[in-house]
């Protein structure tokens, strides 16, 4: 893949699962990505040849400021996040602090446009986020609006739902155990034991949680579409990034079984405190942006690409040998 030669875009977490897909999409759209990632959840091989990778915490203001100055960066995308809905509170606090520092460094360094990768966890139950992770994401969203709502500045906040699947060319994909689809694919390929289902007594058609599963290539396209909207003068955008269609946990497991031709063992456990019964995107707003179609890649394709990625990863010992890895870490 040829690197883009257009404006430089600073991407935190660009060596991670979603981040690596965003870097690919940026290059295909003609941008020049500059990645900062501490590799705690990413992999240096996920960064394409020619894309600069700086191995550092995205919250390191000195590093971020230097990258902004060296590459004359006017736009940034913040994806780095080492936590999750079920992560320990200490990890969530650390990740939140790092994100806050990244936003501050971008604002202080003269970045004019910022795209924040947020999460559907901000919704939670009727009373608000059901987890500390969701509350932390809400706080980061508020900080972005405060720092990038001013003349000459703009922000886009993308609340991503459940990302599933891999790049069709197998240039990027999930790490082991990352999300239900990836776990189910590993179980179907006899790479792990039973898949745990948290709660079978939810108020849903089959008793399991219903989620909106969106392919990382669609998520990446949404980031590019949001960035271009900011370039056209949109001052602020907050939108769901999902398909608008829900599938239950049992439906997903059944779909993986059909795609793989294998049976998956299921282990039922009580509900997790951080879960909600239903989480499905309302993608109408972002769907109005040129260059993005809600749910263009269906769940079946997400599963088939995840299976192919998992098989390749196991066969090659970790990464696609036909995909040249990124430039040396600095």
């Amino acid at each position: 893949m040829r690197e883009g030669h257009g404006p430089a875009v600073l991407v935190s977490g660009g060596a991670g699962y979603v981040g690596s897909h965003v870097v690919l999409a940026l290059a295909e759209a003609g941008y020049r990505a500059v990645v900062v990632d501490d590799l705690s959840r990413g992999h240096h091989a996920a960064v394409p040849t020619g894309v600069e990778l700086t191995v550092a915490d995205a919250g390191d203001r000195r590093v971020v400021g230097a990258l902004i100055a060296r590459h004359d960066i006017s736009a940034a995308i913040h994806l780095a996040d080492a936590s999750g809905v079920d992560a320990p509170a200490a990890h969530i606090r650390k990740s939140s602090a790092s994100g806050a520092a990244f936003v501050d460094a971008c604002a202080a360094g003269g970045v004019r446009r910022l795209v924040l990768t947020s999460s559907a966890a901000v919704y939670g139950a009727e009373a608000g986020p059901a987890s500390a992770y969701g509350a932390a994401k809400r706080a980061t969203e508020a900080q972005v609006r405060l720092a990038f709502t001013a003349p000459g500045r703009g922000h886009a906040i993308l609340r991503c739902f459940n990302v599933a699947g891999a790049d069709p060319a197998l240039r990027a994909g999930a790490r082991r155990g990352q999300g239900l689809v990836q776990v189910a694919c590993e179980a179907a390929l006899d790479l792990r034991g039973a898949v745990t289902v948290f709660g079978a007594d939810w108020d849903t058609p089959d008793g399991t949680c219903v989620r909106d599963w969106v392919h990382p290539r669609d998520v990446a396209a949404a980031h590019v579409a949001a960035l271009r909207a900011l370039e056209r003068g949109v001052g602020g955008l907050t939108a769901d990034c999902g398909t608008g269609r829900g599938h239950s946990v049992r439906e997903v497991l059944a779909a993986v079984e059909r795609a793989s031709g294998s049976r998956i063992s299921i282990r039922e456990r009580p509900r997790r405190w951080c879960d909600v019964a239903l989480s499905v995107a309302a993608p109408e707003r972002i769907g109005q942006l040129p260059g993005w179609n809600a749910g263009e890649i269906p769940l079946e394709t997400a599963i088939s690409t995840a299976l192919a990625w998992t098989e390749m990863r196991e066969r090659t010992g970790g990464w696609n040998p036909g995909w040249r890895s990124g430039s040396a870490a600095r």
Side-chain angles (χ1 to χ4, degrees):
M1 184 201 73
R2 292 185 61 188
E3 178 197 359
H5 296 283
V9 179
L10 179 61
V11 183
S12 75
Y17 177 31
V18 175
S20 57
H21 286 84
V22 169
V23 169
L24 290 170
L26 286 170
E28 291 166 359
Y31 294 95
R32 181 167 57 89
V34 177
V35 174
V36 57
D37 196 306
D38 65 5
L39 301 184
S40 60
R41 291 165 68 90
H43 195 291
H44 74 278
V47 181
T49 297
V51 175
E52 179 179 332
L53 166 64
T54 297
V55 179
D57 189 319
D60 189 324
R61 291 180 173 86
R62 181 187 61 80
V63 169
V64 172
L67 288 172
I68 291 170
R70 186 163 75 246
H71 295 280
D72 191 25
I73 287 170
S74 61
I77 300 177
H78 179 49
L79 294 121
D81 192 340
S83 57
V85 293
D86 56 351
H91 290 186
I92 294 172
R93 287 195 298 269
K94 180 180 179 182
S95 181
S96 181
S98 178
F102 180 81
V103 173
D104 282 346
C106 286
V111 172
R112 297 191 298 277
R113 295 176 290 276
L114 189 140
V115 179
L116 171 68
T117 310
S118 189
S119 168
V122 301
Y123 293 121
E126 293 181 3
S131 64
Y133 174 71
K137 283 295 188 183
R138 279 273 190 183
T140 304
E141 289 185 3
Q143 183 191 8
V144 168
R145 292 190 188 97
L146 183 64
F148 286 88
T149 301
R153 289 191 169 181
H155 66 271
I157 296 169
L158 302 182
R159 293 170 171 171
C160 296
F161 283 67
N162 290 61
V163 184
D167 174 61
L170 304 186
R171 298 170 296 178
R175 69 184 188 282
R176 183 184 282 267
Q178 188 170 18
L180 175 67
V181 168
Q182 183 61 34
V183 167
C185 288
E186 292 165 7
L189 296 172
D190 291 327
L191 299 174
R192 67 166 60 235
V195 175
T196 302
V197 174
F198 293 100
D201 58 348
W202 295 95
D203 186 16
T204 60
D206 65 15
T208 62
C209 293
V210 173
R211 297 290 183 265
D212 190 328
W213 311 90
V214 57
H215 195 276
R217 190 174 178 89
D218 280 343
V219 174
H223 282 73
V224 173
L227 180 58
R228 285 180 164 161
L230 297 181
E231 291 173 343
R232 292 193 303 270
V234 173
L237 169 72
T238 300
D240 289 355
C241 185
T243 68
R245 296 184 298 275
H247 298 275
S248 73
V249 170
R250 290 195 189 280
E251 288 175 333
V252 170
L253 295 177
V256 173
E257 288 182 332
R258 289 194 299 271
S260 65
S262 301
R263 294 287 297 173
I264 297 174
S265 297
I266 297 174
R267 177 176 55 240
E268 292 186 1
R269 291 290 184 268
R271 302 179 183 184
R272 296 185 301 181
W273 64 270
C274 55
D275 281 333
V276 295
L278 178 68
S279 180
V280 178
E284 292 80 11
R285 187 174 188 191
I286 195 171
Q288 296 173 1
L289 296 178
W292 196 76
N293 296 311
E296 189 173 50
I297 301 177
L299 176 62
E300 292 75 16
T301 301
I303 289 171
S304 65
T305 55
L307 282 167
W309 166 261
T310 306
E311 289 177 321
M312 179 278 296
R313 190 188 61 199
E314 294 303 312
R315 185 174 64 252
T316 63
W319 214 263
N320 186 350
W323 172 239
R324 294 185 300 166
S325 64
S327 57
R330 303 171 195 273

